[in-house]
Amino acid sequence: MRVPLSWLKDYVDITIPISELAERLTLAGLEVETIQYIGQPEAELPWDPKRVVVGEIRAVHFHPNADRLVLAEVDYGGAERETVVAGPPSLLDLRGQEDVHLKVAFAMEGTSLYDGYAEGWQIKTLKQATIRGVSSRCMVCSEKELGLADRHGDIIYLPEDAPVGAPLVEYLGDAVLEFDIKGPFGHVLSVFGVAREVAALLNVPLRRDALQVLDRHPSDLTPAPDFLTLEIADPDLCPRYSAALIQGIEVGSSPFWMQMRLRRAGMRPINNIVDVTNYVMLELGQPLHAFDYYILRAKPGEDRPAIIVRRAQPGEQMETLDGTLRTFDGEMLLITDGGGPVAVAGVMGGLESEVTEDTTDVLLESANFDFISVRRTSRLLGLASDASQRFGRRVDPELTVKAAARAAHLMAGLAGGSVVPVVGDVYPGQQPQRVIPFDPAYATRILGVQVPTEEMARILTSLEFQVQPATDPETDLPIFQVTVPSHRQDVERPVDLVEEVGRIWGYDRFPTTLMRDELPPQRTNHRLEGAERVRDLLVGCGLNEIITYSLVNLEDEGKLRLGGPASDPDDYLHVLNPLSAERDVLRQTLLPSALHTVRDNLRFVDRVFLFEIGAVYLPVRGQTLPDELRRLCIVMTGPREARSWMAGQDRALVDFYDLKGVVEALLAGLKLDGAFEPGTHPALHPGRCARVSVAGRGVGVMGELHPLVRDGFDLPAQSVCVLEFDLDGLLFDWGVSYRMAPLSVHPPVYEDLAVVVEEDVPAVRVHDLIAQTGGALVRSVVLFDVYRGAQVGGGKKSLAYRLTYQADDRTLTDREVAKLRGKIVRRLEREVGATLRS
Amino acid sequence: MLDQLNRLEGEALAALETVKESDALAEWDRSYLGKKGALTLLLRAVGDLPKEERPAFGRAANEAKVRLEAAYEARAEALRREEMVRELEQGTLDVTLPGRPAGPGHLHITTQTLRRIYAIFAEMGFQVYESPEVETDEMNFGLLNMPPHHPARDMWDTFWVSDEALLRTHTSPGQMRAMREYCPEPIRVILPGKCYRYEQITARSEHQFYQVEGLAVGRNITMADLITTLTEFARRYYGAERRVRIRGSYFPFTEPSIEVDVDCILCEGQGCRVCKYSGWLEIAGAGMVHPVVLQNGGYDPDVWSGFAFGPGVERPAMLKHSIDDIRLFYGNDLRFLRQF
Ligand SMILES: [Zn+2]
């Protein structure tokens, strides 16, 4: 919403600089986004008060050497008239006239102006020039040259009463405040509404003349005027409908001042009738509509036009002012006449009943509509207007007749004609005045600042609340009875009044206070801490954290199900209004997005080691909300070590065991014991896939990507190691306290043990047998060599372990160690058919 | 025998002079002072001497031994010194060569930002409370004082997954869940998490983003407390020198409602493109919990009051690090992520 300061000053005196006013309004909740200065010193192009003035063309002469140019003699308040070369078509016909009185914007040599002929906004300095043989050092300006319009057109003609010689900035300069108003606050969507806030903020009086036209021109308010049949068939959607008749008007242009204000407020002038409806809407916030009275039809058997406000019949149609044929549903409210729809209530008028050049009598609609209904209709028709935007944020129902009187008399004044002193007014939705008991102590309790009671009363009164001292019936303490003015449709409860006090008092005046309240019970967040621990451990392993989109597409998830059935759309939660088909379901696995991330990154880096922790969304039958399960996903691909100059760097590609190392580090960091078993997964290499469990609970799979899946995600032909775990399963046993293991002071004995077993004996079996048999005395069992080849025979492998024997309470003797070792070897022979490799 | 002893000592000292490395020194030690060394053997032969000569020889021999041992020590020390000098001379590295790559990875910038926010609020007694991303219409809107058709619903463009369920447009539904879980205890929580808006993805807007809602409910919670809490947060996060501005605003679930600005850290409040030439950057919406919302959460608004606030997560990070495109956050380009 744009509010010209010059207009605002009609209702309130502004005693502080504009920038300060904008700041005060912003702090009070009326956010001023920009201030556009016109001609004033802060503008990009200030109008020099001495060199840009009101001038008057007194004579127009032929240019001796040019047909399309004239010589204009201008009185600018100086001792002599100045003759300038000018070229506007509007002056050509006046050539030879000696008694001209045209007020213009006159610029003198040395001043800066925008270049009227250049693209965009270029500032030039006005210099003496000889144009087709005639010297000229001043000019009459177009709107573009002054920065008033972006198109170079005719020169500006000022009203006759413009004072010759006055600085133009005083006459035409302005500042326009552009607001971003949030919330359903129809009461500030007008110049007057802003003025009311300014009056409260600056503690200055508010001039209400514009609202008091009806008092000066008394009219009868009647539901049955003799010029109109007026019916509200659906009062639930139309609390009030008022209509005024203006007869004998002549449609033409509206005056300069009105056009200027409309344009500064962001509207295009059309004609004096439409302009008045817009002007009063901008001024008071009441949308108005002008019908051509003689086009409105009567009901059968009646001789006067009818206005019937009713819901549309489903499928009913009408062409709106913008030339589009609209079709309505049964919940949309229409304004109809005796023959059919003439307007979409509160949204837009119909083309047929529009005011034209030939209109002589205008029926002015000033009505109030249910804000939810207007919003709905506007949204469904895809049709937003200045009217629908105001109605959609609630308009004061008391305003209809006041605004109608204001507009009707403006029309009569500008377009001739007379206002019929009877106003049609049907008001089925009249609400009783709202009275709210307001305890100043409650305001203090909520705000935490002691605003003086009389200041609270002043603030509320200045916003047009009526404040009466009263006594609280329960506590017998003094309170206020506050009557809510009809324009404050948003105020329902005491706390709404607290907000008025707070924002006008000024949040910048609030003291710094620490919460005095009791501290709530403190709880640890085990769930969050577990995830954060996992993140830290994985980052420590060299992985980078990613966060991808929760919205994915089924095709990507399907790429993981090699050869299996396609993903069943019914198993997924769909977005009913997706932004694109790319992202229309909620994911059930983190892998596809992680693989896309890998592919994208491999264009720039050779090692991509990453992880994500995030939710997957599993719909549950009979449940409104899905289960949101946290998952952990890891992908690693590329050379094991970053490229460097060092000898012995390991540039081999990472494989299953690199990923397993990360998992082992993760489990160790979480103090969890994991078990790895050969597994299968459609997306994984059948021989390089492990199912992982923790404390007997399966937590997920890991492995190398199947080559076909790799191709499906456009990944290069190299091992891509992936993992997806159920994070909550993984962390199920995390966080139990544990004790440190004692550090033995007795010397350890180290011994290597190499055994040959069949290829199909899992290494973990051998390891576990050694560890179990060795018991507490075998402190560690580290596999340091795996050998296959001629020395051990086909189908077999040799596993070499380094064992550390140690006791807490004594130095182990060679005999003890030898005995234990023998026991281990015999167990291995017996259980896995191992033979000792010598 | 004494002559023999003198000769031996002279010979040993001469030999010691020629010793140039530690192996040779150990060999010298063995051959003169060791168990089977020459001096040891000579000492053992003392029994062959006539009784009256024995003490004198013994004294002389011991004195010779002490001298040889001292000479050995001196020589050993000299050798150590020489070796150290050699090592220092030969061990010079080109310190400008790159180090061996050592490599922790990087937490996502969003995680890092969240952790900073958690830490700041933890010191003020706020704990993390998590709630679902897929929410009911009722939680996301209805119970937050936005019944169906409420005009304020327009403030959030929503992804719907069914008639009753949606992707939460803000973390505020977590307020309701926290209140219903903790009622009638006082509450101080922050609610972080992913939110979604039906918005085209551009450099300035994302359909997925993070928010951290804050909620305090108690018997003496005031607007002044809220302003102080947010001012404290802004200064802790953006820097102690920051100025904070509180403006009136509108949210359906708070009353009074405010917005919090800090002076633009890019232009120091002078006005730039990012702050739309206002000199201020909006960092959070906030307000006193609306009585209807308190009631819906189980708290009697005549006794309890509360405040809520909702700073974003990406925006603070963007400002702090001059990131000009929000798409970088969830595009996951490692060249971006590794910078944080
Ligand atoms: Zn800035």
Side-chain angles (χ1 to χ4, degrees):
Chain A
M1 181 179 62
R2 294 166 55 87
V3 175
L5 194 72
S6 57
W7 197 350
L8 199 56
K9 286 178 172 169
D10 281 4
Y11 316 102
V12 67
D13 288 329
I14 290 164
T15 48
I16 57 175
I18 301 154
S19 56
E20 198 180 321
L21 175 72
E23 178 74 3
R24 294 285 294 274
L25 285 164
T26 298
L27 293 183
L30 280 76
E31 187 180 356
V32 176
E33 283 204 304
T34 56
I35 307 171
Q36 184 201 346
Y37 292 97
I38 298 167
Q40 297 192 335
E42 298 88 346
E44 190 194 48
L45 179 86
W47 300 337
D48 183 336
K50 291 202 183 73
R51 293 196 177 91
V52 182
V53 299
V54 175
E56 182 170 21
I57 298 177
R58 300 302 310 276
V60 181
H61 306 293
F62 284 90
H63 188 289
N65 308 317
D67 286 349
R68 313 297 303 166
L69 295 174
V70 304
L71 302 181
E73 237 177 84
V74 183
D75 174 5
Y76 63 96
E80 290 180 9
R81 293 181 188 172
E82 179 77 22
T83 299
V84 301
V85 178
S90 57
L91 287 181
L92 293 179
D93 292 347
L94 301 178
R95 281 178 293 186
Q97 293 196 23
E98 294 282 345
D99 188 24
V100 178
H101 292 272
L102 289 172
K103 298 284 174 70
V104 293
F106 184 72
M108 292 176 242
E109 187 178 12
T111 194
S112 292
L113 294 171
Y114 288 111
D115 187 339
Y117 295 93
E119 280 288 308
W121 299 102
Q122 291 185 22
I123 292 177
K124 60 167 190 185
T125 303
L126 181 58
K127 293 194 191 101
Q128 190 278 330
T130 301
I131 304 165
R132 305 289 290 268
V134 178
S135 170
S136 179
R137 51 186 192 131
C138 299
M139 65 188 283
V140 286
C141 303
S142 71
E143 296 198 332
K144 164 109 190 218
E145 282 157 343
L146 292 170
L148 291 171
D150 53 9
R151 218 159 41 87
H152 187 58
D154 205 346
I155 59 169
I156 304 177
Y157 292 105
L158 301 174
E160 283 168 27
D161 61 359
V164 171
L168 191 71
V169 59
E170 281 176 19
Y171 188 69
L172 216 54
D174 207 344
V176 180
L177 303 176
E178 176 143 29
F179 289 89
D180 177 20
I181 304 287
K182 298 193 185 81
F185 299 143
H187 66 281
V188 289
L189 294 181
S190 63
V191 183
F192 186 79
V194 171
R196 187 192 289 119
E197 297 277 319
V198 172
L201 283 168
L202 304 185
N203 198 6
V204 294
L206 181 67
R207 286 188 285 274
R208 294 184 174 78
D209 319 17
L211 280 172
Q212 291 160 344
V213 177
L214 201 58
D215 305 338
R216 293 196 297 272
H217 301 275
S219 294
D220 285 343
L221 302 186
T222 166
D226 55 9
F227 58 82
L228 188 71
T229 297
L230 188 50
E231 292 172 22
I232 299 177
D234 289 308
D236 56 326
L237 301 187
C238 179
R240 188 173 193 184
Y241 196 102
S242 310
L245 182 63
I246 307 99
Q247 293 174 315
I249 53 107
E250 192 171 328
V251 175
S253 305
S254 52
F256 180 83
W257 62 268
M258 181 175 278
Q259 293 200 10
M260 198 53 90
R261 283 186 169 182
L262 289 174
R263 285 165 49 181
R264 286 181 183 173
M267 297 197 88
R268 198 164 50 88
I270 294 170
N271 60 45
N272 45 13
I273 302 303
V274 175
D275 288 357
V276 166
T277 60
N278 285 331
Y279 184 86
V280 174
M281 173 181 72
L282 294 170
E283 180 182 51
L284 299 177
Q286 169 68 53
L288 300 168
H289 186 69
F291 294 105
D292 185 326
Y293 179 68
Y294 286 115
I295 292 182
L296 294 175
R297 293 157 290 190
K299 284 164 78 169
E302 290 188 359
D303 57 357
R304 56 188 178 198
I307 287 286
I308 303 124
V309 185
R310 60 161 170 83
R311 284 181 166 83
Q313 287 142 19
E316 205 170 356
Q317 291 185 318
M318 187 195 72
E319 192 172 359
T320 42
L321 273 175
D322 57 359
T324 310
L325 184 68
R326 309 279 175 177
T327 307
F328 309 109
D329 71 22
E331 276 304 305
M332 293 177 179
L333 192 70
L334 297 181
I335 311 299
T336 65
D337 64 4
V342 292
V344 188
V347 180
M348 193 175 274
L351 196 60
E352 218 173 311
S353 53
E354 184 187 16
V355 170
T356 66
E357 281 174 24
D358 304 329
T359 302
T360 58
D361 289 19
V362 167
L363 184 81
L364 183 66
E365 166 194 292
S366 184
N368 197 276
F369 303 109
D370 176 68
F371 74 109
I372 288 169
S373 165
V374 171
R375 299 181 80 83
R376 179 184 177 277
T377 304
S378 165
R379 197 182 65 241
L380 290 178
L381 294 180
L383 183 60
S385 62
D386 289 291
S388 71
Q389 272 161 19
R390 282 176 174 77
F391 280 126
R393 298 166 107 173
R394 297 192 197 181
V395 173
D396 175 7
E398 288 297 311
L399 205 52
T400 59
V401 287
K402 292 175 189 166
R406 166 73 168 156
H409 287 278
L410 266 175
M411 280 180 195
L414 300 179
S418 59
V419 180
V420 173
V422 173
V423 174
D425 185 29
V426 182
Y427 195 178
Q430 188 161 16
Q431 299 288 326
Q433 277 192 322
R434 205 176 283 142
V435 178
I436 299 175
F438 178 68
D439 181 355
Y442 172 67
T444 305
R445 172 163 92 80
I446 296 297
L447 295 176
V449 56
Q450 185 81 51
V451 178
T453 307
E454 55 280 14
E455 180 65 8
M456 291 193 200
R458 182 203 73 81
I459 289 169
L460 293 173
T461 307
S462 70
L463 293 168
E464 303 193 74
F465 292 87
Q466 288 171 38
V467 180
Q468 297 293 329
T471 305
D472 187 318
E474 285 173 26
T475 62
D476 252 6
L477 292 170
I479 59 162
F480 292 124
Q481 289 292 346
V482 176
T483 306
V484 179
S486 61
H487 65 266
R488 291 309 300 266
Q489 299 280 306
D490 59 309
V491 173
E492 296 172 348
R493 306 183 162 71
V495 75
D496 299 328
L497 299 172
V498 174
E499 175 162 71
E500 298 305 302
V501 169
R503 72 185 181 91
I504 300 292
W505 171 258
Y507 296 122
D508 52 336
R509 297 165 72 184
F510 275 50
T512 303
T513 57
L514 285 176
M515 280 182 274
R516 290 175 298 122
D517 212 60
E518 133 189 36
L519 196 66
Q522 300 288 295
R523 300 174 174 88
T524 54
N525 191 325
H526 191 69
R527 195 182 127 88
L528 176 71
E529 280 173 22
E532 297 287 53
R533 177 83 181 130
V534 171
R535 286 189 176 96
D536 286 338
L537 287 165
L538 293 177
V539 163
C541 291
L543 273 56
N544 293 292
E545 189 189 13
I546 59 169
I547 298 176
T548 63
Y549 294 126
S550 309
L551 290 171
V552 297
N553 60 74
L554 277 183
E555 195 196 333
D556 274 347
E557 298 231 335
K559 283 182 194 164
L560 294 176
R561 302 180 179 206
L562 200 65
S567 312
D568 183 350
D570 289 348
D571 292 343
Y572 282 80
L573 211 56
H574 293 256
V575 171
L576 303 180
N577 55 333
L579 276 171
S580 75
E582 278 284 279
R583 315 203 171 280
D584 61 351
V585 299
L586 282 157
R587 66 185 177 190
Q588 298 193 3
T589 162
L590 307 187
L591 265 180
S593 299
L595 292 176
H596 286 312
T597 305
V598 169
R599 181 203 55 208
D600 294 346
N601 275 290
L602 282 174
R603 290 164 52 216
F604 304 108
V605 295
D606 62 347
R607 302 168 71 242
V608 181
F609 298 0
L610 42 83
F611 75 96
E612 176 167 14
I613 288 177
V616 297
Y617 312 83
L618 308 177
V620 182
R621 206 167 290 281
Q623 214 174 281
T624 307
L625 299 183
D627 280 349
E628 287 180 28
L629 305 177
R630 291 189 305 171
R631 291 271 176 85
L632 164 66
C633 161
I634 297 178
V635 184
M636 296 169 70
T637 192
R640 188 164 293 132
E641 288 183 9
R643 186 181 294 284
S644 77
W645 59 275
M646 300 269 174
Q649 57 177 303
D650 190 347
R651 295 283 293 165
L653 296 170
V654 294
D655 61 19
F656 180 89
Y657 295 112
D658 294 275
L659 176 58
K660 187 166 176 188
V662 169
V663 176
E664 285 166 344
L666 174 63
L667 292 171
L670 296 171
K671 289 278 161 196
L672 296 172
D673 287 323
F676 301 78
E677 291 170 73
T680 54
H681 185 280
L684 299 182
H685 185 304
R688 297 180 172 198
C689 169
R691 298 222 151 260
V692 184
S693 53
V694 173
R697 184 178 298 103
V699 297
V701 313
M702 55 177 285
E704 292 182 25
L705 218 54
H706 194 290
L708 289 175
V709 175
R710 209 164 60 195
D711 292 349
F713 284 94
D714 294 326
L715 291 164
Q718 65 186 38
S719 62
V720 177
C721 304
V722 305
L723 164 155
E724 182 154 320
F725 280 2
D726 162 20
L727 186 68
D728 294 297
L730 176 69
L731 293 172
F732 192 86
D733 285 326
W734 173 74
V736 294
S737 65
Y738 49 88
R739 294 180 167 198
M740 71 161 278
L743 307 180
S744 173
V745 297
H746 300 282
V749 176
Y750 301 105
E751 207 181 48
D752 293 347
L753 178 69
V755 292
V756 177
V757 293
E758 295 292 330
E759 185 63 74
D760 63 0
V761 175
V764 68
R765 178 102 176 95
V766 178
H767 175 279
D768 289 352
L769 285 171
I770 297 172
Q772 283 164 21
T773 315
L777 292 181
V778 172
R779 287 292 150 91
S780 82
V781 182
V782 178
L783 179 69
F784 68 89
D785 187 45
V786 179
Y787 172 79
R788 296 177 178 87
Q791 292 181 33
V792 296
K796 290 180 189 293
K797 61 189 173 193
S798 157
L799 303 170
Y801 294 89
R802 162 147 291 203
L803 276 55
T804 306
Y805 301 89
Q806 196 178 31
D808 287 335
D809 53 351
R810 63 189 189 282
T811 301
L812 288 175
T813 63
D814 292 350
R815 255 191 83 219
E816 273 179 293
V817 171
K819 202 173 147 196
L820 198 51
R821 175 189 162 88
K823 212 169 135 190
I824 291 168
V825 171
R826 282 193 299 281
R827 179 112 188 250
L828 289 174
E829 286 168 353
R830 195 169 65 237
E831 305 229 351
V832 292
T835 55
L836 207 55
R837 187 177 174 211
S838 46
Chain B
M1 284 279 282
L2 267 177
D3 288 349
Q4 215 179 334
L5 179 69
N6 287 338
R7 241 188 351 267
L8 181 68
E9 185 180 351
E11 182 193 313
L13 287 173
L16 191 59
E17 284 297 311
T18 68
V19 165
K20 293 276 182 264
E21 50 187 23
S22 51
D23 286 354
L25 185 66
E27 178 55 34
W28 181 91
D29 185 36
R30 230 179 349 267
S31 52
Y32 291 101
L33 302 173
K35 275 183 188 164
K36 290 174 182 169
L39 185 64
T40 317
L41 294 178
L42 195 62
L43 274 169
R44 266 187 216 147
V46 75
D48 300 346
L49 283 179
K51 220 174 192 163
E52 61 278 7
E53 290 180 26
R54 286 183 199 166
F57 179 78
R59 216 168 23 250
N62 271 324
E63 281 165 10
K65 189 180 178 195
V66 168
R67 278 193 300 276
L68 284 179
E69 278 171 350
Y72 169 85
E73 276 307 323
R75 188 73 202 140
E77 176 59 28
L79 278 183
R80 274 198 295 275
R81 204 166 299 217
E82 277 169 34
E83 268 167 31
M84 184 178 75
V85 168
R86 247 197 323 275
E87 186 187 329
L88 291 178
E89 279 170 355
Q90 291 169 356
T92 305
L93 298 179
D94 177 357
V95 297
T96 68
L97 279 173
R100 188 180 295 279
H106 299 257
L107 287 172
H108 195 281
I109 179 172
T110 295
T111 301
Q112 295 187 40
T113 310
L114 283 169
R115 286 188 179 184
R116 293 198 53 201
I117 295 173
Y118 297 164
I120 294 169
F121 282 111
E123 287 179 27
M124 298 191 250
F126 288 82
Q127 295 169 313
V128 175
Y129 183 94
E130 292 170 292
S131 70
E133 294 171 24
V134 185
E135 267 294 6
T136 57
D137 178 314
E138 197 186 21
M139 282 284 176
N140 196 78
F141 291 125
L143 293 169
L144 297 175
N145 198 29
M146 282 179 280
H149 304 297
H150 192 282
R153 286 183 173 222
D154 291 2
M155 292 163 77
W156 295 274
D157 293 311
T158 309
F159 283 115
W160 293 90
V161 296
S162 72
D163 291 348
E164 321 161 68
L166 46 80
L167 304 188
R168 66 174 172 190
T169 57
H170 47 184
T171 40
S172 308
Q175 286 185 28
M176 192 53 55
R177 291 187 180 270
M179 281 193 274
R180 289 188 167 183
E181 180 173 341
Y182 293 147
C183 185
E185 288 173 3
I187 297 178
R188 243 177 255 187
V189 292
I190 51 174
L191 309 121
K194 261 185 198 171
C195 303
Y196 304 83
R197 290 210 187 142
Y198 183 83
E199 257 176 41
Q200 294 297 336
I201 303 172
T202 68
R204 321 213 86 217
S205 75
E206 253 290 9
H207 76 279
Q208 168 182 307
F209 58 95
Y210 277 73
Q211 219 178 31
V212 183
E213 189 95 353
L215 173 71
V217 176
R219 289 178 176 82
N220 301 294
I221 302 283
T222 68
M223 179 62 105
D225 296 340
L226 169 61
I227 291 174
T228 307
T229 301
L230 289 173
T231 302
E232 182 71 16
F233 166 71
R235 296 203 171 130
R236 290 285 303 279
Y237 189 88
Y238 292 100
E241 70 285 5
R242 293 269 73 91
R243 286 183 301 129
V244 175
R245 182 174 84 162
I246 307 291
R247 299 183 268 121
S249 189
Y250 170 77
F251 302 101
F253 36 90
T254 49
E255 186 82 15
S257 301
I258 56 170
E259 275 176 285
V260 187
D261 299 337
V262 291
D263 57 334
C264 180
I265 61 179
L266 301 173
C267 65
E268 292 296 335
Q270 298 305 301
C272 69
R273 192 180 53 81
V274 173
C275 61
K276 293 188 200 149
Y277 302 96
S278 70
W280 295 99
L281 293 165
E282 181 194 324
I283 58 164
M288 299 302 290
V289 180
H290 197 286
V292 167
V293 177
L294 278 177
Q295 200 127 38
N296 290 339
Y299 292 85
D300 177 359
D302 288 339
V303 179
W304 297 87
S305 56
F307 65 65
F309 53 86
V313 177
E314 292 85 2
R315 191 164 165 78
M318 289 174 82
L319 295 173
K320 213 174 171 69
H321 303 292
S322 299
I323 301 166
D324 58 4
D325 191 336
I326 196 172
R327 289 171 294 198
L328 288 167
F329 282 77
Y330 308 115
N332 294 304
D333 188 325
L334 287 175
R335 296 170 301 166
F336 170 74
L337 296 178
R338 283 178 185 159
Q339 293 184 39
F340 306 100

